[in-house]
């Protein structure tokens, strides 16, 4: 007799059209912490991370690290990680394949053991996101790659990794961080040219330098790493999540009647805020918070994403529902992930005047959205649908919410505190 397997499906149900007000505090950066946790493998003692968001990607990383032999304790928003028991072993493929940031185990395991065997990374389907740049960097430092079914093995044949001069053919956050992780214990000096400049890279480098690494240039396009034999334990505060902050700012401008967003670093959002001001969004920017007023008379704009410090690709989907409230016609061009348009047909189901043309998003407003049954196709598309559901009249049901829970900490509670009628339902 076959065993009956019951799969519980989750969905978010929103009764929209309610004005929101109050305060919300931004959690630690998802795009930092998914690299910071694997980076602790390089330490010879306990590392404590403060400000860790409560998201499913973190839960997956904790499970992977525990299987590898790490001891991890969670106390509120802190992770206490003892990596000394981590063993060089094949990664658990199920968890690896569900998590794009699993590729950071390549760099950290190579840096510690000179070899790594992991499944191919998963995550959101945003079109081609090759890891060729990662492999090019590892090979330059002396690691060879072989494939075994669905897993990839990187190894140096017992020789230590060697410092190298590495030019990134395209700007890549993941490849830049992975190269740093592999190079931090390599023999000699590694120079990364055309490196990505994102705040999350600076955050990872800050952790590593506090552990005893010698890394210079983070935040510029040239990063220099002088390898060291050992890294010690430390304590590190994760930076605020600029993408979560941008998402709540867009929500506040779209339907808020006065919302303060706390734990925000304005300098991480300058290009984004410049576009909001171009629309006519009224905000008061303080040292670590932004107050968004109730908006009227917004106008349509053109958006083109680009590597940091340009307009972040991760924010083009969350800002789209706000754009639908503006008067006029506008366009969104994503130069990072051209296929990042899957939220468009879902918003159209809700009555939005929006379409894609040659992978450009064309919208016209203002729009009055109506609740509908929609599907999150990736993390940031899911965030866009949550905002649209809050704006819409009637009830919106969002499926595939596992994507949303990957990157937005405590989202149901935070929105409820602002006055939203929103529930996470398990069926």
């Amino acid at each position: 007799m076959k065993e009956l397997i019951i799969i519980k499906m989750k969905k978010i149900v929103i009764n929209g059209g309610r004005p929101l007000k109050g305060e919300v505090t931004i959690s630690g950066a998802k795009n930092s912490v998914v690299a910071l946790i694997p980076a602790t493998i390089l330490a010879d003692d306990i590392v404590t991370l403060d400000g860790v968001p409560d998201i499913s990607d973190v839960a997956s990383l904790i499970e992977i690290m525990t299987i590898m032999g790490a001891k991890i304790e969670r106390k509120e928003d802190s992770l206490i990680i003892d990596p000394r028991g981590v063993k060089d072993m094949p990664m658990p493929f199920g968890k690896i394949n569900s998590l794009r940031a699993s590729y950071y185990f390549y760099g950290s395991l190579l840096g510690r053991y000179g070899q790594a065997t992991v499944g191919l990374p998963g995550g959101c389907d945003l079109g081609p996101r090759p890891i060729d740049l990662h492999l090019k960097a590892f090979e330059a430092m002396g690691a060879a790659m072989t494939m075994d079914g669905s897993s990839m093995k990187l190894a140096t044949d017992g020789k230590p990794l060697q410092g190298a001069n590495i030019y990134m053919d395209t700007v890549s956050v993941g490849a830049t961080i992975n190269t740093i992780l592999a190079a931090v214990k390599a023999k000699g000096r590694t120079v990364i040219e055309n490196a990505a400049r994102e705040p999350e890279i600076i955050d990872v480098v800050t952790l590593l330098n506090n552990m005893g690494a010698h890394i210079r240039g983070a935040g510029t396009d040239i990063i220099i790493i002088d390898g060291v034999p050992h890294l010690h334990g430390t304590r590190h505060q994760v930076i605020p999540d600029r993408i979560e902050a941008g998402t709540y700012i867009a929500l506040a401008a779209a339907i808020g009647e006065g919302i303060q967003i706390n734990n925000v670093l304005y300098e991480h959002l300058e290009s984004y805020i410049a576009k909001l001001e171009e629309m006519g969004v009224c905000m008061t920017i303080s040292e670590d918070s932004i107050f968004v007023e109730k908006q009227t008379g917004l106008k349509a704009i053109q958006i083109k994403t680009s590597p940091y410090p340009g307009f972040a690709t991760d924010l083009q989907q969350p800002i789209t529902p706000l754009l639908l409230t503006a008067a006029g016609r506008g366009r969104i061009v994503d130069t990072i992930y051209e296929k990042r348009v899957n939220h468009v047909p879902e918003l159209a189901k809700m009555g939005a005047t929006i379409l894609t043309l040659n992978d450009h998003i064309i919208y016209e407003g203002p729009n009055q959205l109506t609740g509908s049954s929609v599907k999150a196709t990736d993390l940031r598309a899911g965030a866009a649908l949550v905002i649209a559901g809050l704006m819409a009249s009637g009830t919106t049901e969002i499926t595939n919410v596992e994507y949303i829970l990957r990157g937005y900490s405590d989202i149901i509670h935070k929105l409820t505190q602002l006055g939203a009628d929103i529930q996470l339902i398990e069926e």
Side-chain angles (χ1 to χ4, degrees):
M1 183 175 179
K2 291 185 177 180
E3 181 181 356
L4 178 63
I5 299 175
I6 299 175
I7 300 174
K8 293 184 178 181
M9 305 297 290
K10 294 179 180 179
K11 65 180 180 180
I12 288 176
V13 178
I14 303 169
N15 292 313
R18 296 177 55 151
L20 308 181
K21 62 175 63 177
E23 297 186 20
V24 63
T25 298
I26 299 305
S27 302
K30 172 219 180 244
N31 290 338
S32 276
V33 80
V34 294
L36 293 169
I37 293 172
T40 65
I41 289 174
L42 293 161
D44 299 327
D45 208 339
I46 294 172
V47 176
T48 300
L49 302 177
D50 297 318
V52 176
D54 183 13
I55 55 178
S56 62
D57 271 11
V58 167
S60 295
L61 286 168
I62 292 172
E63 187 173 344
I64 292 168
M65 291 276 287
T66 302
I67 291 170
M68 293 168 63
K71 295 179 181 178
I72 302 180
E73 182 181 1
R74 179 149 199 161
K75 292 184 177 179
E76 296 181 349
D77 70 347
S78 295
L79 281 187
I80 304 165
I81 303 172
D82 184 348
R84 289 173 290 188
V86 169
K87 296 177 176 62
D88 172 32
M89 59 182 288
M91 298 295 93
F93 295 146
K95 288 294 178 183
I96 287 288
N97 291 337
S98 69
L99 185 66
R100 183 69 192 175
S102 61
Y103 55 40
Y104 291 129
F105 286 109
Y106 300 160
S108 56
L109 289 170
L110 268 177
R112 178 162 173 175
Y113 293 110
Q115 65 181 42
T117 303
V118 294
L120 295 176
C124 296
D125 182 9
L126 301 175
R129 296 199 284 180
I131 59 170
D132 295 356
L133 292 175
H134 307 239
L135 300 179
K136 173 186 171 183
F138 297 150
E139 289 170 359
M141 288 186 278
M145 185 271 287
T146 56
M147 290 297 299
D148 180 14
S150 61
S151 65
M152 178 188 301
K153 182 169 184 178
L154 296 158
T156 61
D157 293 329
K159 300 176 183 177
L161 288 171
Q162 299 292 323
N165 290 334
I166 297 162
Y167 181 86
M168 295 289 172
D169 295 328
T170 57
V171 176
S172 167
V173 175
T176 298
I177 291 176
N178 235 345
T179 304
I180 292 170
L181 294 175
V184 74
K185 285 188 172 183
K187 295 288 185 182
R189 172 171 288 183
T190 299
V191 179
I192 307 172
E193 297 183 74
N194 200 30
R197 300 164 55 189
E198 271 73 0
E200 292 80 12
I201 292 172
I202 299 174
D203 202 23
V204 173
V205 167
T206 299
L207 169 71
L208 293 170
N209 280 342
N210 288 341
M211 288 161 56
H214 293 164
I215 307 170
R216 292 175 288 146
T220 76
D221 61 358
I222 298 178
I223 297 176
I224 300 169
I225 307 112
D226 290 310
V228 297
H230 301 288
L231 294 176
H232 52 72
T234 191
R235 187 164 198 144
H236 177 78
Q237 177 70 44
V238 181
I239 61 171
D241 193 317
R242 62 194 172 99
I243 308 303
E244 185 191 18
T247 299
Y248 279 99
I249 292 170
L251 178 151
I255 196 172
E257 293 192 346
I259 294 177
Q260 179 161 307
I261 296 100
N262 298 319
N263 195 31
V264 179
L265 295 178
Y266 163 75
E267 56 267 29
H268 291 174
L269 289 163
E270 286 188 68
S271 58
Y272 179 72
I273 288 173
K275 280 295 178 182
L276 293 175
E277 290 174 338
E278 184 182 337
M279 289 184 71
V281 174
C282 296
M283 297 169 284
T284 301
I285 299 171
S286 304
E287 183 177 352
D288 61 355
S289 66
I290 295 177
F291 180 78
V292 183
E293 302 173 16
K294 182 177 180 178
Q295 308 299 318
T296 58
L298 299 181
K299 62 179 182 180
I301 58 170
Q302 317 297 320
I303 288 175
K304 186 176 183 178
T305 71
S306 60
Y308 188 85
F311 193 102
T313 177
D314 279 359
L315 283 172
Q316 69 93 338
Q317 290 164 297
I319 201 177
T320 304
L322 171 62
L323 298 177
L324 296 174
T325 69
R329 175 178 291 187
R331 180 187 302 260
I332 304 171
V333 181
D334 197 323
T335 67
I336 310 299
Y337 299 127
E338 294 178 353
K339 302 298 182 183
R340 202 168 202 167
V341 297
N342 290 335
H343 57 306
V344 171
E346 302 303 307
L347 291 171
K349 290 179 187 177
M350 301 177 72
T353 305
I354 189 169
L355 55 84
T356 57
L357 182 64
N358 298 324
D359 294 328
H360 293 188
I361 299 171
I362 314 295
Y363 69 93
E364 188 170 356
N367 292 260
Q368 176 56 55
L369 302 182
T370 304
S372 182
S373 295
V374 292
K375 178 174 67 175
T377 54
D378 60 74
L379 168 57
R380 307 305 173 184
L385 295 178
V386 169
I387 296 174
L390 293 167
M391 293 164 51
S393 61
T395 300
T396 296
E397 291 191 359
I398 306 173
T399 55
N400 273 19
V401 300
E402 288 75 14
Y403 282 119
I404 301 169
L405 303 179
R406 283 188 51 226
Y408 287 92
S409 180
D410 210 13
I411 185 171
I412 304 300
H413 175 72
K414 288 179 179 180
L415 291 174
T416 301
Q417 291 295 103
L418 293 175
D421 184 347
I422 183 171
Q423 291 180 293
L424 178 65
I425 296 174
E426 194 169 68
E427 295 180 324

